Amino acid sequence: MNLPRRPFRCDVVASRRENSSRPLTEVQGEVMSNSMYRRLMTVLADSSVDYRVINHAAEGHTERASKLRGHALGSAAKCMIVSVRAKDAEGRYVLAVIPGDRKVDYRKIKRLYGGTDVVMADRAEAERLAACESGCIIPFSFEEHLSVVLDPMLLGQDQVYFNAARLDRSIGMSPSALVALAKPRIEPISK
């Protein structure tokens, strides 16, 4: 499945169909340089889910990345790390995955985790927990102290798209494939 041509460079450079026996370990001959990108690609290659790798101009803003990839903003899986503070208890970090056209509802996350306050995580801490730079955080957690919560509004999309731990590469897959791989808690957390 090819995306329509846009004025920007955005090509589907590889895809994986169920029952494909060829693992995806390199994209257009480039050796994967980013460790989180490599880890994500290993998870995808080892799975049996259908997904696409999309090469595009470097972009970390959800709205502009969605235009480059050629899909509606609501199909983007926007990933943000928030800090849930609790009275008399150690706080926790949550990776909130919401549709690109929505905002995180801090009150819903606060109630969900019984916190006293919820704020965006400090950028340095978010990048440490996600093991990639802000703007290309993936909807997966490989860190035991980072819970993933996915808003159910994403489940109604045909495909969801997210940067692949790199600003110049994205993944497209069905919401059910994302849920099967990321194993998130599914709760309404957007407004």
mmCIF file with all atom_site columns, all heavy atoms in Angstrom, residues 98-99 102-105 108 151 153 187-191:
data_model
loop_
_atom_site.group_PDB
_atom_site.id
_atom_site.type_symbol
_atom_site.label_atom_id
_atom_site.label_alt_id
_atom_site.label_comp_id
_atom_site.label_asym_id
_atom_site.label_entity_id
_atom_site.label_seq_id
_atom_site.pdbx_PDB_ins_code
_atom_site.Cartn_x
_atom_site.Cartn_y
_atom_site.Cartn_z
_atom_site.occupancy
_atom_site.B_iso_or_equiv
_atom_site.pdbx_formal_charge
_atom_site.auth_seq_id
_atom_site.auth_comp_id
_atom_site.auth_asym_id
_atom_site.auth_atom_id
_atom_site.pdbx_PDB_model_num
ATOM 1   N N   . ILE A 1 98  ? -2.402  9.078  22.985 1.00 0.00 ? 98  ILE A N   1
ATOM 2   C CA  . ILE A 1 98  ? -3.703  9.641  22.638 1.00 0.00 ? 98  ILE A CA  1
ATOM 3   C C   . ILE A 1 98  ? -3.748  9.971  21.149 1.00 0.00 ? 98  ILE A C   1
ATOM 4   O O   . ILE A 1 98  ? -2.702  10.071 20.495 1.00 0.00 ? 98  ILE A O   1
ATOM 5   C CB  . ILE A 1 98  ? -3.994  10.909 23.476 1.00 0.00 ? 98  ILE A CB  1
ATOM 6   C CG1 . ILE A 1 98  ? -2.943  11.996 23.194 1.00 0.00 ? 98  ILE A CG1 1
ATOM 7   C CG2 . ILE A 1 98  ? -4.056  10.580 24.967 1.00 0.00 ? 98  ILE A CG2 1
ATOM 8   C CD1 . ILE A 1 98  ? -3.238  13.334 23.829 1.00 0.00 ? 98  ILE A CD1 1
ATOM 9   N N   . PRO A 1 99  ? -4.949  10.164 20.585 1.00 0.00 ? 99  PRO A N   1
ATOM 10  C CA  . PRO A 1 99  ? -5.033  10.596 19.191 1.00 0.00 ? 99  PRO A CA  1
ATOM 11  C C   . PRO A 1 99  ? -4.371  11.963 19.013 1.00 0.00 ? 99  PRO A C   1
ATOM 12  O O   . PRO A 1 99  ? -4.404  12.808 19.921 1.00 0.00 ? 99  PRO A O   1
ATOM 13  C CB  . PRO A 1 99  ? -6.538  10.692 18.928 1.00 0.00 ? 99  PRO A CB  1
ATOM 14  C CG  . PRO A 1 99  ? -7.168  9.809  19.960 1.00 0.00 ? 99  PRO A CG  1
ATOM 15  C CD  . PRO A 1 99  ? -6.273  9.926  21.167 1.00 0.00 ? 99  PRO A CD  1
ATOM 16  N N   . ARG A 1 102 ? -6.125  15.295 19.906 1.00 0.00 ? 102 ARG A N   1
ATOM 17  C CA  . ARG A 1 102 ? -6.640  15.429 21.267 1.00 0.00 ? 102 ARG A CA  1
ATOM 18  C C   . ARG A 1 102 ? -5.533  15.923 22.205 1.00 0.00 ? 102 ARG A C   1
ATOM 19  O O   . ARG A 1 102 ? -4.373  15.965 21.833 1.00 0.00 ? 102 ARG A O   1
ATOM 20  C CB  . ARG A 1 102 ? -7.154  14.073 21.779 1.00 0.00 ? 102 ARG A CB  1
ATOM 21  C CG  . ARG A 1 102 ? -8.116  13.348 20.864 1.00 0.00 ? 102 ARG A CG  1
ATOM 22  C CD  . ARG A 1 102 ? -9.470  13.925 20.852 1.00 0.00 ? 102 ARG A CD  1
ATOM 23  N NE  . ARG A 1 102 ? -10.082 13.680 22.158 1.00 0.00 ? 102 ARG A NE  1
ATOM 24  C CZ  . ARG A 1 102 ? -11.345 13.896 22.412 1.00 0.00 ? 102 ARG A CZ  1
ATOM 25  N NH1 . ARG A 1 102 ? -12.141 14.353 21.489 1.00 0.00 ? 102 ARG A NH1 1
ATOM 26  N NH2 . ARG A 1 102 ? -11.835 13.660 23.603 1.00 0.00 ? 102 ARG A NH2 1
ATOM 27  N N   . LYS A 1 103 ? -5.923  16.241 23.438 1.00 0.00 ? 103 LYS A N   1
ATOM 28  C CA  . LYS A 1 103 ? -4.983  16.647 24.490 1.00 0.00 ? 103 LYS A CA  1
ATOM 29  C C   . LYS A 1 103 ? -5.118  15.682 25.656 1.00 0.00 ? 103 LYS A C   1
ATOM 30  O O   . LYS A 1 103 ? -6.175  15.098 25.878 1.00 0.00 ? 103 LYS A O   1
ATOM 31  C CB  . LYS A 1 103 ? -5.289  18.071 24.965 1.00 0.00 ? 103 LYS A CB  1
ATOM 32  C CG  . LYS A 1 103 ? -5.062  19.100 23.901 1.00 0.00 ? 103 LYS A CG  1
ATOM 33  C CD  . LYS A 1 103 ? -5.329  20.487 24.418 1.00 0.00 ? 103 LYS A CD  1
ATOM 34  C CE  . LYS A 1 103 ? -5.097  21.444 23.263 1.00 0.00 ? 103 LYS A CE  1
ATOM 35  N NZ  . LYS A 1 103 ? -4.820  22.770 23.695 1.00 0.00 ? 103 LYS A NZ  1
ATOM 36  N N   . VAL A 1 104 ? -4.031  15.536 26.395 1.00 0.00 ? 104 VAL A N   1
ATOM 37  C CA  . VAL A 1 104 ? -4.060  14.690 27.595 1.00 0.00 ? 104 VAL A CA  1
ATOM 38  C C   . VAL A 1 104 ? -4.946  15.370 28.638 1.00 0.00 ? 104 VAL A C   1
ATOM 39  O O   . VAL A 1 104 ? -4.821  16.567 28.887 1.00 0.00 ? 104 VAL A O   1
ATOM 40  C CB  . VAL A 1 104 ? -2.641  14.475 28.167 1.00 0.00 ? 104 VAL A CB  1
ATOM 41  C CG1 . VAL A 1 104 ? -2.700  13.775 29.513 1.00 0.00 ? 104 VAL A CG1 1
ATOM 42  C CG2 . VAL A 1 104 ? -1.787  13.682 27.202 1.00 0.00 ? 104 VAL A CG2 1
ATOM 43  N N   . ASP A 1 105 ? -5.830  14.605 29.235 1.00 0.00 ? 105 ASP A N   1
ATOM 44  C CA  . ASP A 1 105 ? -6.671  15.098 30.318 1.00 0.00 ? 105 ASP A CA  1
ATOM 45  C C   . ASP A 1 105 ? -6.002  14.667 31.627 1.00 0.00 ? 105 ASP A C   1
ATOM 46  O O   . ASP A 1 105 ? -6.119  13.514 32.055 1.00 0.00 ? 105 ASP A O   1
ATOM 47  C CB  . ASP A 1 105 ? -8.080  14.523 30.214 1.00 0.00 ? 105 ASP A CB  1
ATOM 48  C CG  . ASP A 1 105 ? -9.052  15.167 31.188 1.00 0.00 ? 105 ASP A CG  1
ATOM 49  O OD1 . ASP A 1 105 ? -8.626  15.569 32.303 1.00 0.00 ? 105 ASP A OD1 1
ATOM 50  O OD2 . ASP A 1 105 ? -10.243 15.259 30.849 1.00 0.00 ? 105 ASP A OD2 1
ATOM 51  N N   . LYS A 1 108 ? -8.110  13.008 34.394 1.00 0.00 ? 108 LYS A N   1
ATOM 52  C CA  . LYS A 1 108 ? -8.446  11.588 34.217 1.00 0.00 ? 108 LYS A CA  1
ATOM 53  C C   . LYS A 1 108 ? -7.281  10.692 34.642 1.00 0.00 ? 108 LYS A C   1
ATOM 54  O O   . LYS A 1 108 ? -7.486  9.655  35.274 1.00 0.00 ? 108 LYS A O   1
ATOM 55  C CB  . LYS A 1 108 ? -8.826  11.313 32.765 1.00 0.00 ? 108 LYS A CB  1
ATOM 56  C CG  . LYS A 1 108 ? -10.167 11.908 32.382 1.00 0.00 ? 108 LYS A CG  1
ATOM 57  C CD  . LYS A 1 108 ? -10.493 11.648 30.922 1.00 0.00 ? 108 LYS A CD  1
ATOM 58  C CE  . LYS A 1 108 ? -11.825 12.269 30.543 1.00 0.00 ? 108 LYS A CE  1
ATOM 59  N NZ  . LYS A 1 108 ? -12.117 12.085 29.104 1.00 0.00 ? 108 LYS A NZ  1
ATOM 60  N N   . ASP A 1 151 ? -5.502  5.700  24.931 1.00 0.00 ? 151 ASP A N   1
ATOM 61  C CA  . ASP A 1 151 ? -6.877  6.169  24.884 1.00 0.00 ? 151 ASP A CA  1
ATOM 62  C C   . ASP A 1 151 ? -7.667  5.318  23.884 1.00 0.00 ? 151 ASP A C   1
ATOM 63  O O   . ASP A 1 151 ? -7.205  5.099  22.766 1.00 0.00 ? 151 ASP A O   1
ATOM 64  C CB  . ASP A 1 151 ? -6.910  7.639  24.467 1.00 0.00 ? 151 ASP A CB  1
ATOM 65  C CG  . ASP A 1 151 ? -8.275  8.246  24.682 1.00 0.00 ? 151 ASP A CG  1
ATOM 66  O OD1 . ASP A 1 151 ? -9.178  7.954  23.871 1.00 0.00 ? 151 ASP A OD1 1
ATOM 67  O OD2 . ASP A 1 151 ? -8.450  9.005  25.650 1.00 0.00 ? 151 ASP A OD2 1
ATOM 68  N N   . MET A 1 153 ? -10.008 5.949  21.986 1.00 0.00 ? 153 MET A N   1
ATOM 69  C CA  . MET A 1 153 ? -10.377 6.627  20.739 1.00 0.00 ? 153 MET A CA  1
ATOM 70  C C   . MET A 1 153 ? -9.466  6.209  19.590 1.00 0.00 ? 153 MET A C   1
ATOM 71  O O   . MET A 1 153 ? -9.866  6.241  18.431 1.00 0.00 ? 153 MET A O   1
ATOM 72  C CB  . MET A 1 153 ? -10.362 8.144  20.920 1.00 0.00 ? 153 MET A CB  1
ATOM 73  C CG  . MET A 1 153 ? -11.467 8.630  21.831 1.00 0.00 ? 153 MET A CG  1
ATOM 74  S SD  . MET A 1 153 ? -11.539 10.411 21.917 1.00 0.00 ? 153 MET A SD  1
ATOM 75  C CE  . MET A 1 153 ? -12.308 10.742 20.334 1.00 0.00 ? 153 MET A CE  1
ATOM 76  N N   . GLU A 1 187 ? -7.658  3.151  28.644 1.00 0.00 ? 187 GLU A N   1
ATOM 77  C CA  . GLU A 1 187 ? -8.517  4.010  29.465 1.00 0.00 ? 187 GLU A CA  1
ATOM 78  C C   . GLU A 1 187 ? -8.709  5.344  28.749 1.00 0.00 ? 187 GLU A C   1
ATOM 79  O O   . GLU A 1 187 ? -7.799  5.827  28.067 1.00 0.00 ? 187 GLU A O   1
ATOM 80  C CB  . GLU A 1 187 ? -7.869  4.309  30.824 1.00 0.00 ? 187 GLU A CB  1
ATOM 81  C CG  . GLU A 1 187 ? -7.624  3.098  31.690 1.00 0.00 ? 187 GLU A CG  1
ATOM 82  C CD  . GLU A 1 187 ? -8.871  2.551  32.353 1.00 0.00 ? 187 GLU A CD  1
ATOM 83  O OE1 . GLU A 1 187 ? -9.919  3.213  32.334 1.00 0.00 ? 187 GLU A OE1 1
ATOM 84  O OE2 . GLU A 1 187 ? -8.781  1.427  32.888 1.00 0.00 ? 187 GLU A OE2 1
ATOM 85  N N   . PRO A 1 188 ? -9.867  5.979  28.907 1.00 0.00 ? 188 PRO A N   1
ATOM 86  C CA  . PRO A 1 188 ? -10.074 7.305  28.311 1.00 0.00 ? 188 PRO A CA  1
ATOM 87  C C   . PRO A 1 188 ? -9.240  8.349  29.076 1.00 0.00 ? 188 PRO A C   1
ATOM 88  O O   . PRO A 1 188 ? -9.487  8.609  30.242 1.00 0.00 ? 188 PRO A O   1
ATOM 89  C CB  . PRO A 1 188 ? -11.574 7.559  28.462 1.00 0.00 ? 188 PRO A CB  1
ATOM 90  C CG  . PRO A 1 188 ? -12.017 6.640  29.559 1.00 0.00 ? 188 PRO A CG  1
ATOM 91  C CD  . PRO A 1 188 ? -11.058 5.481  29.577 1.00 0.00 ? 188 PRO A CD  1
ATOM 92  N N   . ILE A 1 189 ? -8.228  8.905  28.403 1.00 0.00 ? 189 ILE A N   1
ATOM 93  C CA  . ILE A 1 189 ? -7.318  9.860  29.061 1.00 0.00 ? 189 ILE A CA  1
ATOM 94  C C   . ILE A 1 189 ? -7.148  11.136 28.250 1.00 0.00 ? 189 ILE A C   1
ATOM 95  O O   . ILE A 1 189 ? -6.245  11.912 28.529 1.00 0.00 ? 189 ILE A O   1
ATOM 96  C CB  . ILE A 1 189 ? -5.926  9.218  29.309 1.00 0.00 ? 189 ILE A CB  1
ATOM 97  C CG1 . ILE A 1 189 ? -5.324  8.696  28.015 1.00 0.00 ? 189 ILE A CG1 1
ATOM 98  C CG2 . ILE A 1 189 ? -6.022  8.137  30.385 1.00 0.00 ? 189 ILE A CG2 1
ATOM 99  C CD1 . ILE A 1 189 ? -3.860  8.318  28.108 1.00 0.00 ? 189 ILE A CD1 1
ATOM 100 N N   . SER A 1 190 ? -8.020  11.343 27.255 1.00 0.00 ? 190 SER A N   1
ATOM 101 C CA  . SER A 1 190 ? -7.878  12.551 26.438 1.00 0.00 ? 190 SER A CA  1
ATOM 102 C C   . SER A 1 190 ? -9.118  13.426 26.549 1.00 0.00 ? 190 SER A C   1
ATOM 103 O O   . SER A 1 190 ? -10.156 13.008 27.026 1.00 0.00 ? 190 SER A O   1
ATOM 104 C CB  . SER A 1 190 ? -7.621  12.180 24.983 1.00 0.00 ? 190 SER A CB  1
ATOM 105 O OG  . SER A 1 190 ? -8.766  11.576 24.408 1.00 0.00 ? 190 SER A OG  1
ATOM 106 N N   . LYS A 1 191 ? -8.952  14.645 26.068 1.00 0.00 ? 191 LYS A N   1
ATOM 107 C CA  . LYS A 1 191 ? -10.092 15.576 26.013 1.00 0.00 ? 191 LYS A CA  1
ATOM 108 C C   . LYS A 1 191 ? -10.072 16.286 24.677 1.00 0.00 ? 191 LYS A C   1
ATOM 109 O O   . LYS A 1 191 ? -9.111  16.292 23.960 1.00 0.00 ? 191 LYS A O   1
ATOM 110 C CB  . LYS A 1 191 ? -10.058 16.571 27.151 1.00 0.00 ? 191 LYS A CB  1
ATOM 111 C CG  . LYS A 1 191 ? -8.794  17.410 27.249 1.00 0.00 ? 191 LYS A CG  1
ATOM 112 C CD  . LYS A 1 191 ? -8.872  18.329 28.431 1.00 0.00 ? 191 LYS A CD  1
ATOM 113 C CE  . LYS A 1 191 ? -7.554  19.088 28.573 1.00 0.00 ? 191 LYS A CE  1
ATOM 114 N NZ  . LYS A 1 191 ? -7.557  20.023 29.646 1.00 0.00 ? 191 LYS A NZ  1
#
